[in-house]
Amino acid sequence: MTTTPAKTPLQTAEISDDLAPMEWFRGYVLIPLSEFGQSLDSPDLGVWLEGFSGRNNDAVGDFEITARGELKIMSPIGMPGDWHQAEIMTSVLVWAREAGGRAGGPTSAFWLVDGSLRGPDTWWMSAERWNSLPADARKPFRTGTPDFLVEIVSSSNLGSELEDKVQVYLQGGARLVWVINARLRRVAIYRPDAEPEILQDPDALGGGDVLPGFAFNVRKRIFDNAP
């Protein structure tokens, strides 16, 4: 039986877009797992989702599982969001080649502490944390929370949805989370047991003691990188 962790206040709303004119579409569709004869407690849920994804590999969009027991089908991120995601993921991957550990993007989904399956826009997990996972917890979807995660605000990742995701990351052991809002040129930085740090139009972001030596020019690579 999965349980939802208790919430702690976050200031995610400070970086969310005001998309009132688009409230009719949030960029995703939710379908109860029960429609497929599945639930969060199904022992073969991961195997079922892998098969479902394989049978629908020509479909446009990505799949996640929510903590409420729903299949979330998300629309493609589109331009310039996919450029932004590629910029930060590539930078982290290049850094990780020298620093070690594992890094990736949204196609590498993780089973989190609230029972949901989420694919962050970018993630990095230390070699120590990765190697501590049982081999069967790495395939087909990982069980655990990376040390570092990045979320880029999009129509399928707004408001309370984004707030819940950040909370679960932190409760699962994430040491650093960046939430980047390209339209508002704003970044929220989350760390365990600390108030969020809100940066308006920063030039660069540093990885601190979580990603030593890592720096990302968010202004050049994301804020100014638009069609």
Side-chain angles (χ1 to χ4, degrees):
M1 178 69 68
T2 57
T3 59
T4 301
K7 289 189 174 183
T8 55
L10 292 178
Q11 299 174 12
T12 315
E14 293 192 22
I15 61 163
S16 294
D17 277 307
D18 180 8
L19 294 182
M22 294 178 59
E23 286 183 353
W24 59 275
F25 179 63
R26 287 297 189 186
Y28 58 83
V29 174
L30 296 174
I31 304 175
L33 288 174
S34 58
E35 295 288 331
F36 305 99
Q38 297 289 326
S39 73
L40 290 180
D41 296 323
S42 298
D44 62 344
L45 181 57
V47 175
W48 170 82
L49 183 58
E50 184 183 24
F52 181 88
S53 301
R55 291 190 298 273
N56 293 278
N57 59 4
D58 292 331
V60 177
D62 293 318
F63 305 112
E64 289 184 342
I65 300 292
T66 73
R68 296 180 298 274
E70 301 153 326
L71 176 67
K72 181 179 181 181
I73 306 174
M74 295 171 288
S75 63
I77 189 172
M79 299 289 186
D82 56 349
W83 296 349
H84 299 160
Q85 190 273 332
E87 287 282 4
I88 180 63
M89 184 179 72
T90 300
S91 296
V92 174
L93 283 168
V94 170
W95 173 86
R97 287 175 186 167
E98 298 297 327
R102 300 296 181 100
T107 57
S108 301
F110 291 87
W111 291 109
L112 303 175
V113 294
D114 65 345
S116 64
L117 180 72
R118 301 292 191 178
D121 289 312
T122 297
W123 59 271
W124 173 78
M125 183 180 288
S126 66
E128 179 182 11
R129 184 173 293 194
W130 177 268
N131 292 333
S132 70
L133 297 177
D136 60 1
R138 303 176 193 168
K139 296 180 181 181
F141 305 106
R142 284 79 172 162
T143 298
T145 305
D147 298 78
F148 170 67
L149 304 103
V150 180
E151 292 289 346
I152 299 175
V153 175
S154 68
S155 60
S156 64
N157 197 12
L158 288 166
S160 61
E161 169 82 8
L162 182 55
E163 179 181 343
D164 290 345
K165 187 180 290 189
V166 173
Q167 286 192 65
V168 174
Y169 289 158
L170 293 174
Q171 291 164 352
R175 297 191 287 150
L176 181 65
V177 182
W178 292 350
V179 179
I180 300 174
N181 189 314
R183 191 183 73 86
L184 297 182
R185 304 178 73 94
R186 192 174 295 169
V187 179
I189 301 175
Y190 298 92
R191 302 177 181 86
D193 303 318
E195 289 296 317
E197 180 182 1
I198 310 298
L199 305 178
Q200 184 62 46
D201 198 21
D203 179 37
L205 304 172
D209 58 358
V210 179
L211 286 77
F214 177 71
F216 180 69
N217 191 327
V218 66
R219 183 179 296 166
K220 178 181 179 180
R221 300 298 181 186
I222 291 186
F223 295 157
D224 294 340
N225 185 4

